[in-house]
């Protein structure tokens, strides 16, 4: 297999790589598979991506599904409506925006996530104020997700329609329409929750 | 189709949201089994009851023996082996011995795809349950093969029915409720993937590389 490093403006050919490092403005219209992908510039990808580790410090647009072991986003990660992001672990200090689904065993986000659905085991989304400069640049100050479903959920600064889980912590500045909880539930006094169902026990923070 | 809601599934099996979605991400549970339907509470996810309960039991039984990657190969409806020889198939006791003889004629070669093996087992088992003679079973397999081969996957459903004394089959990508006229008698509906789940576990050395 091969390694690829692009520093200027160029196109990435589809196929299998050991590692891909993109520092300029690049695009790819085919599927790519690599053990390690680093995006520091601007990248547009039309094909599916399969990776061991994906690191995005720049701005990346994906039109198809992404499947990786670990995804680290400190830049902006856009997925087209309907495209799926699947990873064992996702860490987001920047922005992830998708009209589709995100699946992760472990998701830790200090930045912003806009998604239709987020599913997983342990999901923490704490969108802080003030947010980092990339988040400010994209004028995104609150995470907005239609459905979050996981075993353990911890949220701050999140607007969501539905949150379903076993243990749920709703921190400050959240606006949730409905929660279904079957374990321990905490709701911060600065957050609003319209409906709560399930066999849950209220707990102190 | 008999369905179970996601909430009931978690309650009945004792698994967590995290396990359900990890197994989906690892392809242990097919995406097609997650059926989103409107409910009074908004949108809810349902599953085909028998298939999902059987799959989760298999995963729970095997997860401490195999890695998730190995399990995905074992539980995937398809086989990781491209072709299976007629000699190897003599070991598969679920295939009626009389049907085994006609497989080269029906499928046109001595090596068989996993899908063809699954179809042969489905017809063998149905013939036994319906009390068909060896000759009738052979005829049913011959008639079914061309229609089934159009799908080329084991994730299909086979409906067996009679018109007068004559047996026929129809293959559909999903389980659908079919309404027949009075001259047609519905005999059986089979999910090929249920058969493949069982035989892959039983004959791992033949169907998993």
């Amino acid at each position: 297999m091969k390694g690829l490093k692009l520093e200027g403006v160029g196109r990435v050919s589809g196929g299998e790589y050991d590692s891909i490092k993109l520092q300029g403005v690049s695009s790819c219209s085919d599927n790519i598979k690599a053990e390690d992908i680093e995006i520091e510039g601007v990248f547009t990808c039309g094909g599916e991506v399969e990776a061991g580790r994906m690191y995005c410090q720049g701005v990346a647009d994906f039109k198809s599904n992404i499947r990786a072991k670990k995804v680290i986003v400190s830049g902006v990660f856009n997925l087209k409506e309907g495209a799926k992001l699947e990873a064992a672990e996702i860490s987001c200090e920047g922005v992830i925006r998708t009209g589709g689904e995100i699946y992760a065993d472990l998701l830790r986000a200090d930045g912003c996530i806009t998604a239709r659905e987020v599913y997983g085991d342990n999901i923490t989304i704490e969108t802080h104020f003030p947010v980092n400069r990339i988040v400010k640049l994209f004028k995104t100050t609150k995470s907005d997700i239609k459905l979050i479903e996981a075993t353990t959920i911890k949220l701050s600064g999140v607007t969501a329609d539905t949150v379903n889980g076993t243990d749920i912590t709703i921190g400050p500045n959240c606006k949730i329409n409905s929660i279904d909880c079957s374990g321990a539930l905490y709701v911060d006094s600065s957050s609003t929750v319209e409906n709560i169902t399930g066999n849950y026990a209220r707990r102190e923070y | 189709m008999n369905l179970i809601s996601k909430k009931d599934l978690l309650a009945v099996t004792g698994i967590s949201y995290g396990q359900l979605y990890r197994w989906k991400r690892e392809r242990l549970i097919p995406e097609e089994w997650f059926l989103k339907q409107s409910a009074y509470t908004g949108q809810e996810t349902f599953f085909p009851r028998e298939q999902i309960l059987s799959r989760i039991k298999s995963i729970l039984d095997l997860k401490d023996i195999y890695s998730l990657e190995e399990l995905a190969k074992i539980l995937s409806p398809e086989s990781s082996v491209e072709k299976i020889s007629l000699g190897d198939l003599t070991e598969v006791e679920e295939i009626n011995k009389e049907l085994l003889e006609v497989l080269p004629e029906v499928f046109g070669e001595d090596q068989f795809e996993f899908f063809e093996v699954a179809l042969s087992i489905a017809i063998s088992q149905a013939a036994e349950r319906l009390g068909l003679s060896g000759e009738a079973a052979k005829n049913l397999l011959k008639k079914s093969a061309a229609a089934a081969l159009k799908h080329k996957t084991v994730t299909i459903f086979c409906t067996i029915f009679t018109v007068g004394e004559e047996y026929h089959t129809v293959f559909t990508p999903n389980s659908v409720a079919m309404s027949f006229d009075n001259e047609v008698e519905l005999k059986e509906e089979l999910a090929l993937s249920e058969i493949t789940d069982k035989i892959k576990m039983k004959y791992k050395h033949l169907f998993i590389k």
Side-chain angles (χ1 to χ4, degrees):
Chain A
M1 279 196 283
K2 54 211 172 180
L4 174 76
K5 188 172 179 182
L6 257 178
E7 288 184 347
V9 177
R11 287 182 70 85
V12 178
S13 305
E16 280 193 41
Y17 298 86
D18 278 326
S19 65
I20 297 175
K21 189 163 186 172
L22 306 168
Q23 288 181 322
V25 178
S26 52
S27 64
C28 178
S29 51
D30 302 314
N31 297 346
I32 47 175
K33 187 174 176 181
E35 199 41 52
D36 196 78
I37 299 175
E38 275 192 31
I39 301 157
E40 290 182 8
V42 176
F43 179 53
T44 308
C45 185
E48 299 207 343
V49 178
E50 192 177 332
R53 186 191 78 124
M54 263 184 111
Y55 176 62
C56 175
Q57 203 175 289
V59 178
D61 282 294
F62 298 94
K63 294 191 168 58
S64 298
N65 299 334
I66 297 171
R67 187 171 162 79
K69 286 195 176 75
K70 186 168 185 175
V71 174
I72 304 161
V73 178
S74 57
V76 177
F77 215 69
N78 288 318
L79 280 95
K80 197 186 164 193
E81 172 95 36
K84 223 177 351 180
L85 170 60
E86 294 177 290
E89 190 179 338
I90 297 174
S91 168
C92 174
E93 288 178 4
V95 179
I96 297 177
R97 288 194 296 213
T98 172
E101 299 163 353
I102 298 174
Y103 290 86
D105 283 355
L106 180 66
L107 189 154
R108 290 265 176 280
D110 292 330
C112 279
I113 295 190
T114 303
R116 200 179 68 218
E117 290 157 25
V118 175
Y119 299 104
D121 187 35
N122 196 324
I123 305 290
T124 299
I125 304 170
E126 294 179 306
T127 306
H128 293 301
F129 305 90
V131 286
N132 76 26
R133 62 192 167 87
I134 293 230
V135 177
K136 270 186 189 162
L137 182 69
F138 282 82
K139 295 180 180 167
T140 309
T141 52
K142 213 165 195 183
S143 289
D144 194 341
I145 300 158
K146 198 160 191 303
L147 169 68
I148 303 170
E149 207 162 76
T151 313
T152 306
I153 300 168
K154 193 173 178 189
L155 307 175
S156 300
V158 175
T159 299
D161 190 32
T162 307
V163 176
N164 298 334
T166 308
D167 293 318
I168 300 174
T169 303
I170 305 295
N173 302 310
C174 291
K175 196 176 170 196
I176 315 287
N177 185 36
S178 85
I179 289 178
D180 187 80
C181 178
S182 55
L185 173 67
Y186 168 79
V187 180
D188 187 87
S189 57
S190 68
S191 289
T192 57
V193 178
E194 297 294 329
N195 301 300
I196 303 175
T197 56
N199 188 17
Y200 62 90
R202 286 271 189 178
R203 68 164 176 81
E204 295 302 311
Y205 191 73
Chain B
M1 194 194 293
N2 189 1
L3 300 175
I4 182 168
S5 72
K6 180 161 54 192
K7 213 171 167 181
D8 288 347
L9 178 72
L10 299 187
V12 167
T13 59
I15 66 166
S16 66
Y17 283 111
Q19 284 174 301
L20 179 69
Y21 291 120
R22 183 178 309 126
W23 296 341
K24 182 185 185 190
R25 194 172 53 73
E26 297 285 352
R27 311 297 190 249
L28 302 183
I29 301 175
E31 184 145 10
E32 311 85 79
W33 290 3
F34 289 71
L35 307 168
K36 288 183 178 168
Q37 295 188 356
S38 295
Y40 69 96
T41 48
Q43 202 177 51
E44 262 198 66
T45 303
F46 292 85
F47 300 86
R49 179 185 287 271
E50 283 173 25
Q51 285 164 283
I52 190 76
L53 290 176
S54 150
R55 177 59 56 92
I56 284 175
K57 183 179 181 310
S58 300
I59 296 170
L60 292 172
D61 288 347
L62 299 169
K63 72 181 173 61
D64 297 329
I65 305 169
Y66 299 100
S67 69
L68 288 182
E69 203 177 320
E70 288 169 321
L71 261 183
K73 279 187 184 172
I74 293 170
L75 298 173
S76 149
E78 307 294 344
S79 169
S80 51
V81 173
E82 276 186 21
K83 297 264 185 175
I84 299 124
S85 71
L86 187 61
D88 281 342
L89 280 190
T90 54
E91 207 184 307
V92 180
E93 58 190 19
E94 286 79 0
I95 302 181
N96 174 314
K97 294 295 169 237
E98 288 183 67
L99 279 192
L100 204 56
E101 291 167 14
V102 297
L103 294 191
E105 182 197 333
V106 172
F107 297 115
E109 55 179 334
D110 289 342
Q111 302 265 319
F112 307 99
E113 290 185 24
F114 187 56
F115 164 73
E116 295 168 339
V117 176
L119 176 66
S120 306
I121 293 173
I123 298 295
S124 297
Q125 293 181 336
E128 194 180 331
R129 283 192 295 268
L130 297 168
L132 298 187
S133 67
E135 206 52 42
K138 281 184 200 173
N139 284 336
L140 188 59
L141 179 63
K142 284 178 188 170
K143 275 195 284 194
S144 305
L149 282 170
K150 287 181 185 159
H151 294 273
K152 281 243 170 200
T153 170
V154 297
T155 57
I156 56 170
F157 288 80
C158 168
T159 305
I160 300 176
F161 58 96
T162 53
V163 181
E165 297 295 308
E166 197 72 22
Y167 278 83
H168 296 274
T169 51
V170 64
F171 295 90
T172 51
N174 300 305
S175 174
V176 287
M178 284 184 272
S179 305
F180 293 102
D181 65 45
N182 292 340
E183 291 178 19
V184 177
E185 189 181 344
L186 179 65
K187 292 292 186 183
E188 288 214 3
E189 191 191 50
L190 313 159
L192 255 59
S193 60
E194 275 180 37
I195 293 167
T196 58
D197 275 0
K198 286 178 190 147
I199 64 154
K200 277 181 77 177
M201 292 299 297
K202 187 170 173 187
Y203 303 102
K204 284 202 273 282
H205 60 292
L206 291 182
F207 300 118
I208 298 164
K209 216 189 268 177

